[in-house]
C-alpha cells in the first residue's frame, strides 16, 4: 500500500516555464515532507522540505506547498532550467514517531529546450 | 567535504551466494540508513542505525538480510543466499539530525 503517491511518472516542461510536481499521501501521522532530486547513477539529493506546521516553503527557484486537509503537496520550479531534468521523489516522515522516510515512486521531469 | 560513499558500485553474483555491501557515512553523522530501490520504484526503507545499534529494522524483507555498524561509523549490509529478486540498487544515507538524509551513490546488485 503506497503511503506516498506520485501519480505522474513523467512530465515535460518548456525551459523557462514553471514545473509543478504533485504528491499525495495517505498517512495522517506524517509531519515532515521532503523532495529529493536524482540524476542517473547518483543517489538522491535533498532539495527542499516542509514541516506540517507550515503551508509553504521557498528556496530560490523551488517552492513546496502543503495542503494538509487534502493530504497533498506540490513542488514548483520556476523558471525551469535544463539542469532540472531529473527524477524527483516526494518523501514523508512521521518525525514525532520515528525517523523512517517513505518515498514515492518518483516523477521524471524533462525540460525541453 | 566527503559525502557518503558506498562500495562496490556494482556487484554481480550468482543465485545462492553471500554478498556484503559497505557504506561509509559522512564523518560525525550518528544516524545511518539503508534503502533498496528497485526499477521504477522509489527508495524503500530497510534499516536505520543510531550509533551502533539498529533503532529500526522493520524494513528488512526477511532473515536473509542483516546489517551491522559495529563502531558507529561504517556499516555493512549482508545478504545471504541471494535470490534474483534481491537485484536492486542499495542506497545508504547518513544524517546529523532527525530530518535531512544525505545519500550515497548506491551499489547496484545483480543476482544472476
Amino acid at each position: 500500500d503506497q503511503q506516498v503517491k506520485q501519480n505522474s511518472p513523467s512530465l515535460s516542461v518548456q525551459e523557462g516555464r514553471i514545473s509543478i510536481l504533485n504528491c499525495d499521501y495517505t498517512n495522517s501521522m506524517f509531519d515532515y515532507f521532503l523532495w529529493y532530486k536524482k540524476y542517473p547513477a547518483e543517489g538522491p539529493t535533498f532539495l527542499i522540505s516542509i514541516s506540517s506546521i507550515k503551508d509553504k516553503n521557498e528556496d530560490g527557484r523551488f517552492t513546496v506547498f502543503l495542503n494538509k486537509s487534502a493530504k497533498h503537496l506540490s513542488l514548483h520550479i520556476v523558471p525551469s532550467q535544463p539542469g532540472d531534468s531529473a527524477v524527483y521523489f516526494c518523501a514523508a516522515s512521521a518525525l514525532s514517531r520515528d525517523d523512517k522516510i517513505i518515498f514515492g515512486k518518483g516523477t521524471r521531469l524533462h525540460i525541453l529546450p | 567535504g566527503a559525502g557518503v560513499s558506498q562500495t562496490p558500485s556494482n556487484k554481480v553474483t550468482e543465485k545462492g551466494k553471500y554478498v556484503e555491501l559497505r557504506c561509509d557515512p559522512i564523518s560525525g553523522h550518528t544516524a545511518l540508513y539503508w534503502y533498496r530501490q528497485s526499477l521504477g520504484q522509489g527508495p524503500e526503507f530497510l534499516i536505520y542505525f543510531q550509533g551502533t545499534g539498529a533503532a529500526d529494522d522493520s524494513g528488512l524483507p526477511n532473515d536473509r538480510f542483516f546489517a551491522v555498524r559495529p563502531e558507529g561509523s561504517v556499516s555493512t549490509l549482508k545478504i545471504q543466499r541471494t535470490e534474483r529478486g534481491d537485484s536492486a540498487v542499495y542506497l545508504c544515507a547518513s544524517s546529523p539530525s532527525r530530518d535531512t538524509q544525505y545519500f550515497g551513490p548506491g551499489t547496484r546488485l545483480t543476482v544472476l
Side-chain angles (χ1 to χ4, degrees):
Chain A
D1 180 35
Q2 280 274 310
Q3 296 186 65
V4 178
K5 301 176 184 178
Q6 293 178 257
N7 292 320
S8 297
S10 67
L11 175 68
S12 294
V13 174
Q14 206 77 34
E15 182 180 352
R17 301 279 188 149
I18 183 171
S19 294
I20 300 176
L21 295 98
N22 292 303
C23 176
D24 297 291
Y25 62 95
T26 58
N27 190 339
S28 56
M29 294 292 292
F30 289 146
D31 53 16
Y32 191 69
F33 304 89
L34 311 94
W35 284 93
Y36 280 82
K37 176 179 176 179
K38 186 181 184 301
Y39 293 119
E42 295 183 9
T45 303
F46 170 77
L47 199 54
I48 193 169
S49 63
I50 187 167
S51 163
S52 60
I53 62 173
K54 294 187 173 182
D55 54 20
K56 177 182 173 181
N57 189 25
E58 191 171 350
D59 183 1
R61 296 184 299 113
F62 304 92
T63 303
V64 56
F65 294 92
L66 175 63
N67 182 335
K68 286 193 298 275
S69 60
K71 293 192 176 69
H72 176 84
L73 63 154
S74 61
L75 174 68
H76 292 213
I77 307 173
V78 54
S80 300
Q81 298 175 353
D84 296 332
S85 293
V87 176
Y88 289 79
F89 290 103
C90 172
S93 179
L95 287 185
S96 58
R97 187 179 63 186
D98 58 38
D99 297 311
K100 276 192 288 198
I101 293 182
I102 308 298
F103 285 81
K105 291 186 177 184
T107 296
R108 183 176 297 278
L109 177 64
H110 299 270
I111 303 302
L112 306 171
Chain B
V4 177
S5 63
Q6 292 186 246
T7 54
S9 55
N10 279 283
K11 176 72 178 178
V12 180
T13 191
E14 292 179 344
K15 180 175 178 292
K17 299 287 189 183
Y18 168 83
V19 296
E20 290 189 352
L21 311 179
R22 176 186 167 109
C23 172
D24 282 82
I26 294 172
S27 177
H29 283 193
T30 56
L32 185 146
Y33 305 77
W34 283 100
Y35 292 84
R36 175 169 72 174
Q37 186 176 12
S38 301
L39 198 62
Q41 304 292 317
E44 174 194 13
F45 171 81
L46 296 177
I47 187 170
Y48 153 57
F49 287 90
Q50 185 59 253
T52 60
D56 185 343
D57 64 358
S58 61
L60 294 177
N62 52 58
D63 61 6
R64 295 187 297 106
F65 288 74
F66 189 71
V68 296
R69 194 186 186 198
E71 296 176 358
S73 178
V74 171
S75 176
T76 305
L77 178 66
K78 308 181 181 195
I79 310 174
Q80 297 177 323
R81 305 183 304 280
T82 51
E83 298 177 357
R84 292 195 179 90
D86 298 336
S87 296
V89 175
Y90 288 81
L91 293 163
C92 175
S94 69
S95 177
S97 59
R98 295 188 69 230
D99 43 38
T100 308
Q101 298 180 13
Y102 298 86
F103 282 82
T107 293
R108 180 175 297 279
L109 175 66
T110 303
V111 181
L112 301 176

